[in-house]
Amino acid sequence: MTRDEFGPWATALDTGPGAGLSTFWQRRMAMLPILNSATSRVSKRAYFCLAALAAVALALPLIYVAQASSTSSADSAKEPAVEFLPRISASEEKILAVLEQPTAFEFVDTSLKDVMGFIQDKHAIEIHLDRKALEEAGVGEDTPVTIHIKSVSLGSALRVMLEAYDLRYIVRNQLLQITTAEKASNELITRTYPVGDLTEDNDYDSLVNTITETVKPVTWDEVGGPGSISPMRSSQSLVISQTDDVHDEVLQLLRSLRAARKAQPARPISKEPKVQVSQKAGGQRVKGGGMGGGMGGMGGGMSGGTKSGVDGKTKGGVDGDAKGETGGGAKGGGMF
């Protein structure tokens, strides 16, 4: 067999007395450990990229749960459709609205009956004098009233005027009733106030303490008063049994708290949370902002590793030998 019969492999043989591999192929064989090392580095990078992808995949359900929780928290922060329950009648709602309207009047030694008649006509609401309770307290319809009121709400004006005679007003049976302070203090009504927007982390104690410590503190049962307040976490509400005037102040306090909350800068809820997973290996760090980032890191790691590990170390040595000993034949039909 002649040397030419081996074709492109002819340079691998030495048919002389000291037969063996030529220098070119010896150098090629010497490059095998470098190639194996490059392949190992690529495998490690691929391993860590896959580990990063797995971590991201495991984190995604937690992200959506947290996002749903944030959405739920945002929904609970919305103001309730009604300020309290049960709903009052249209007539009583009108009376409460009128009590918040500004008024002005002046009376000098005018009978209580005539004063109430004037206010009834001026504000178009029904006013009823509790004559029996007034007589028991020694206050008659002809009791003279002297007062000058300007630019205050009707409710405030009535409180100022009636307190001078130890009287109060209450809203009952679609009427504004004028009665004694003693009777009014025994007329408790129960209302349920939705307050889910004013509590955080299901903490109702802070709100309850704020109400009982600032609104007529001596009227609550904890200090021997007639009123009571109970949180109902299942319905995100407070159940309060109190007199009319205390309910009025509680309602004003809740409105003030909601106004204060609106004045605070909003805390935005991220709709597209980012995930960052880091893995360290041999000085390398793999980061991904999501599934796409993980795939990009994997592709980049494998491509970069192969190029730097194989091409950088073998191009000069192998191709140079090929060009020097075999010309273009060995390079074109390369073994590896």
Side-chain angles (χ1 to χ4, degrees), residues 1-15:
M1 182 178 291
T2 65
R3 185 183 183 91
D4 293 338
E5 292 179 6
F6 289 96
W9 306 103
T11 57
L13 297 175
D14 188 352
T15 57

Side-chain angles (χ1 to χ4, degrees), residues 66-78:
Q67 200 169 13
S69 176
S70 300
T71 303
S72 176
S73 299
D75 292 339
S76 65
K78 294 180 180 178

Side-chain angles (χ1 to χ4, degrees), residues 195-241:
V195 292
D197 59 319
L198 298 177
T199 59
E200 292 187 2
D201 300 327
N202 224 21
D203 176 20
Y204 288 80
D205 294 338
S206 298
L207 182 58
V208 169
N209 292 337
T210 299
I211 294 174
T212 57
E213 292 174 4
T214 60
V215 178
K216 300 290 180 66
V218 299
T219 65
W220 301 97
D221 55 2
E222 290 185 352
V223 293
S228 65
I229 179 171
S230 301
M232 293 297 294
R233 290 175 173 79
S234 60
S235 60
Q236 296 185 325
S237 60
L238 296 177
V239 179
I240 300 177
S241 179

Side-chain angles (χ1 to χ4, degrees), residues 5-322:
E5 292 179 6
F6 289 96
W9 306 103
T11 57
L13 297 175
D14 188 352
T15 57
L21 293 176
S22 67
T23 302
F24 170 75
W25 289 106
Q26 289 177 4
R27 291 182 179 178
R28 283 247 173 166
M29 295 297 291
M31 295 301 298
L32 285 176
I34 298 176
L35 295 175
N36 291 335
S37 175
T39 303
S40 176
R41 285 196 297 272
V42 172
S43 299
K44 289 181 180 179
R45 289 192 180 93
Y47 168 78
F48 287 117
C49 287
L50 290 175
L53 289 176
V56 172
L58 292 175
L60 286 178
L62 299 178
I63 295 171
Y64 289 117
V65 169
Q67 200 169 13
S69 176
S70 300
T71 303
S72 176
S73 299
D75 292 339
S76 65
K78 294 180 180 178
E79 289 190 17
V82 294
E83 292 182 309
F84 59 84
L85 297 168
R87 292 177 179 270
I88 59 178
S89 66
S91 299
E92 292 178 345
E93 188 173 354
K94 177 185 176 183
I95 293 172
L96 293 176
V98 169
L99 288 172
E100 295 182 4
Q101 294 177 358
T103 190
F105 49 73
E106 182 177 2
F107 301 104
V108 178
D109 291 334
T110 305
S111 68
L112 179 62
K113 179 180 179 180
D114 291 341
V115 170
M116 292 302 146
F118 173 84
I119 295 175
Q120 175 175 284
D121 295 338
K122 179 180 177 65
H123 292 279
I125 57 175
E126 291 293 327
I127 299 179
H128 171 71
L129 291 175
D130 187 351
R131 292 178 176 84
K132 182 178 180 180
L134 294 179
E135 290 175 359
E136 291 177 353
V139 180
E141 294 181 351
D142 57 351
T143 299
V145 175
T146 298
I147 191 171
H148 175 69
I149 292 292
K150 183 179 181 180
S151 301
V152 298
S153 68
L154 176 60
S156 297
L158 286 174
R159 280 192 289 270
V160 170
M161 180 177 64
L162 295 175
E163 282 178 357
Y165 307 93
D166 202 22
L167 303 178
R168 299 289 187 274
Y169 73 80
I170 60 176
V171 179
R172 290 289 188 282
N173 302 320
Q174 303 181 29
L175 299 171
L176 182 65
Q177 298 184 17
I178 308 301
T179 187
T180 63
E182 181 181 0
K183 184 174 181 179
S185 65
N186 294 323
E187 291 282 339
L188 301 181
I189 58 176
T190 301
R191 290 177 178 173
T192 300
Y193 293 86
V195 292
D197 59 319
L198 298 177
T199 59
E200 292 187 2
D201 300 327
N202 224 21
D203 176 20
Y204 288 80
D205 294 338
S206 298
L207 182 58
V208 169
N209 292 337
T210 299
I211 294 174
T212 57
E213 292 174 4
T214 60
V215 178
K216 300 290 180 66
V218 299
T219 65
W220 301 97
D221 55 2
E222 290 185 352
V223 293
S228 65
I229 179 171
S230 301
M232 293 297 294
R233 290 175 173 79
S234 60
S235 60
Q236 296 185 325
S237 60
L238 296 177
V239 179
I240 300 177
S241 179
Q242 265 289 6
T243 59
D244 283 62
D245 58 338
V246 175
H247 275 296
D248 290 344
E249 293 192 30
V250 168
L251 184 59
Q252 292 302 323
L253 174 61
L254 295 180
R255 289 173 177 173
S256 298
L257 292 175
R258 289 186 172 108
R261 183 176 60 82
K262 286 182 179 179
Q264 299 300 316
R267 292 177 295 180
I269 299 175
S270 176
K271 295 182 178 180
E272 296 180 357
K274 295 181 179 180
V275 179
Q276 189 174 46
V277 181
S278 299
Q279 294 286 344
K280 290 184 178 181
Q284 299 293 328
R285 182 182 294 271
V286 181
K287 294 185 178 180
M291 298 294 289
M295 292 297 292
M298 177 179 173
M302 294 179 66
S303 175
T306 303
K307 184 175 182 179
S308 61
V310 179
D311 291 348
K313 294 184 178 181
T314 62
K315 184 175 180 180
V318 176
D319 288 351
D321 291 338

